Amino acid sequence: MSHKKILITGASGFLGYHLSRCAAAQGYEVYAQYNSGNIHYDRCTPIQFDLRSYIDMGNMIDDIEPDVVIHAAALADAARCQREPALSYAINVEATQNLAGICSDYQVPFVFTSTDLVFDGVKGNYSEEDAVNPLMVYGEHKVLAEQEVMKVYPESLIARCPLMFGAPEASDKTYFSAFIRSLREDKEVNLFHDEYRSVAGAKSVAEGLLHLAEEAAGIFHVAGGQRVSRYEFGLAAAEAFGLDKSLLKSMSQKDIAAANPRPADVSLSISKARSFGYAPLGYQEELQHIASGKYL
Ligand SMILES: NC(=O)c1ccc[n+]([C@@H]2O[C@H](COP(=O)([O-])OP(=O)(O)OC[C@H]3O[C@@H](n4cnc5c(N)ncnc54)[C@H](OP(=O)(O)O)[C@@H]3O)[C@@H](O)[C@H]2O)c1
């Protein structure tokens, strides 16, 4: 059991929820930052502030004196980043750069959560050495943030995360919650058979981040171990939750003229993270854990 202090930004968000719960279960003293949302997690101290305030951020690190910071706050809605690039830049790039700089000043280990959408999806099975080429503002800003973090605090860990699923109570805004809701309401769901991800359960990712935060620096892919299409994943999720699979309709990316660009295959190789002890569950197994209600 760890008795270290951890600050988790974006704790009111989807990944932040899993990080906070997993860190508390591991014995960390958890400081859980939120902004407009709210937090009532057991054994976590909620802290409200807007990451765009440099002064609040500095005061917070000064007051808490954390042993590690995991930065999971972001404007993570890619469509919104496309519509509001200035807001995305302020939150995803500037605030990240500032927080990394403050952590560097205080020599606090810093983990930045990035995304598989730094890639264009042409090649798939990307390693950490592959060239980035984002197709949308969200990915562009994550790339800029990665570069700034490496400049101001090269000892940081940059964790590129995949499309995640997790505890339904973490957020009702995720694609996963919407998907389960639709099937429960007997509504059809269209899913791409030609869009691939290394989808992962958020608990596996959260535990991986907590582990790697102590072990590693540089860029790491912290994703699932299987390349799976959205349609295949939907079938597995419906199966795990005992929902009607015939409501799932397979479609191609080519069938729609998307307002926002969608990379075809941003699956990630996780060999590097595995060599540092990262061991995610298979997605089918993690789906079973969630459906059983004994997840976190
Ligand atoms: N979810 C995925 O499948 C996925 C995939 C790849 C990468 N990621 C990355 O993982 C991280 C977490 O994503 P998520 O899906 O958990 O995001 P999320 O559910 O949208 O949560 C975003 C969090 O950021 C906080 N936040 C936003 N603007 C803020 C501001 N100005 N000041 C302070 N806090 C602010 C929000 O706080 P309030 O709600 O309290 O305002 C919330 O806690 C992000 O870095 C994202 O890019 C996620």
Side-chain angles (χ1 to χ4, degrees):
M1 292 289 269
S2 175
H3 296 289
K4 293 183 176 170
K5 290 191 228 176
I6 187 167
L7 169 67
I8 297 166
T9 71
S12 49
F14 173 73
L15 179 59
Y17 172 85
H18 294 83
L19 277 166
S20 303
R21 298 286 308 271
C22 292
Q26 291 183 16
Y28 282 93
E29 193 175 321
V30 180
Y31 294 85
Q33 178 271 338
Y34 66 101
N35 185 31
S36 59
N38 214 339
I39 287 182
H40 304 282
Y41 310 154
D42 282 353
R43 290 176 288 151
C44 295
T45 306
I47 298 180
Q48 191 280 331
F49 70 87
D50 191 317
L51 280 158
R52 288 168 291 176
S53 164
Y54 185 82
I55 291 171
D56 285 355
M57 238 172 358
N59 288 342
M60 175 196 59
I61 300 288
D62 205 48
D63 290 347
I64 299 171
E65 297 183 329
D67 296 293
V68 58
V69 172
I70 300 188
H71 180 39
L75 190 65
D77 175 344
R80 187 150 176 224
C81 294
Q82 205 72 18
R83 288 194 309 272
E84 299 180 64
L87 183 66
S88 168
Y89 190 85
I91 296 171
N92 290 333
V93 184
E94 277 174 349
T96 300
Q97 177 185 11
N98 289 339
L99 185 55
I102 294 166
C103 288
S104 171
D105 292 344
Y106 284 79
Q107 283 298 291
V108 184
F110 177 70
V111 179
F112 169 53
T113 55
S114 188
T115 172
D116 51 7
L117 295 174
V118 297
F119 295 113
D120 57 19
V122 173
K123 170 182 167 284
N125 194 31
Y126 291 96
S127 80
E128 289 80 354
E129 280 74 45
D130 282 317
V132 296
N133 184 30
L135 298 185
M136 77 293 284
V137 169
Y138 170 64
E140 280 167 22
H141 286 173
K142 285 292 196 178
V143 168
L144 286 176
E146 288 187 358
Q147 291 166 347
E148 292 305 325
V149 168
M150 279 294 129
K151 237 185 266 169
V152 298
Y153 195 10
E155 296 80 14
S156 302
L157 173 71
I158 291 178
R160 292 190 184 136
C161 301
L163 184 68
M164 286 178 271
F165 59 94
E169 69 274 17
S171 167
D172 56 7
K173 288 183 236 141
T174 63
Y175 80 96
F176 186 65
S177 307
F179 169 78
I180 298 291
R181 227 175 9 249
S182 294
L183 294 193
R184 286 198 170 129
E185 291 166 7
D186 280 331
K187 291 186 188 150
E188 286 189 354
V189 181
N190 293 316
L191 292 171
F192 296 121
H193 59 74
D194 52 3
E195 187 175 298
Y196 294 92
R197 299 283 186 271
S198 294
V199 62
K203 184 179 177 191
S204 279
V205 171
E207 287 178 344
L209 294 178
L210 292 167
H211 171 72
L212 293 170
E214 308 265 347
E215 301 285 323
I219 298 179
F220 279 76
H221 291 172
V222 185
Q226 296 140 288
R227 172 182 178 270
V228 60
S229 76
R230 292 223 177 215
Y231 180 67
E232 284 171 284
F233 177 72
L235 287 176
E239 169 87 30
F241 280 77
L243 296 165
D244 182 0
K245 285 191 264 187
S246 70
L247 292 167
L248 302 185
K249 303 296 165 204
S250 165
M251 66 184 294
S252 166
Q253 277 193 339
K254 296 182 191 82
D255 295 340
I256 57 155
N260 300 309
R262 302 185 68 98
D265 183 351
V266 289
S267 54
L268 301 174
S269 161
I270 58 167
S271 314
K272 185 177 173 188
R274 278 199 200 277
S275 72
F276 278 72
Y278 171 58
L281 292 180
Y283 69 90
Q284 294 100 328
E285 190 180 356
E286 197 145 343
L287 280 167
Q288 292 289 351
H289 288 203
I290 296 168
S292 73
K294 294 183 212 128
Y295 187 50
L296 285 168

